[in-house]
Amino acid sequence: METAVHDKGSTATGKTWLMRVGIGLFALGMVAVVAVFVLFAAGLSDLPVWLSAFAGVVTPLGLALGLISLVREHRRP
């Protein structure tokens, strides 16, 4: 016999909105990090400051939001 388990407070796919935002920001930040490495490997030395700042700020911000979401989800009764 099967038992259905329903998680209260989560969306249809099981991820909260904060987790979705964290995943999106982390993915965008990783794209920026890859772009910085590719541009540097291609021989460009004067990379835009905004690209480096975006890669350095958005990636850890997305990771932090994801971790906060995990902690909040774990603490729910």
Side-chain angles (χ1 to χ4, degrees):
M1 203 181 279
E2 294 183 28
T3 304
V5 177
H6 298 286
D7 186 18
K8 296 178 183 176
S10 62
T11 59
T13 61
K15 293 185 179 82
T16 62
W17 66 271
L18 188 59
M19 179 62 81
R20 290 176 190 258
V21 170
I23 290 171
L25 287 176
F26 185 78
L28 284 173
M30 288 308 296
V31 168
V33 168
V34 169
V36 166
F37 280 121
V38 167
L39 290 172
F40 186 73
L44 297 173
S45 60
D46 292 329
L47 298 176
V49 174
W50 65 267
L51 183 61
S52 297
F54 189 80
V57 172
V58 174
T59 307
L61 178 64
L63 181 63
L65 288 178
L67 289 175
I68 289 169
S69 173
L70 283 175
V71 169
R72 286 180 58 189
E73 187 175 327
H74 179 69
R75 289 187 177 197
R76 279 192 200 149

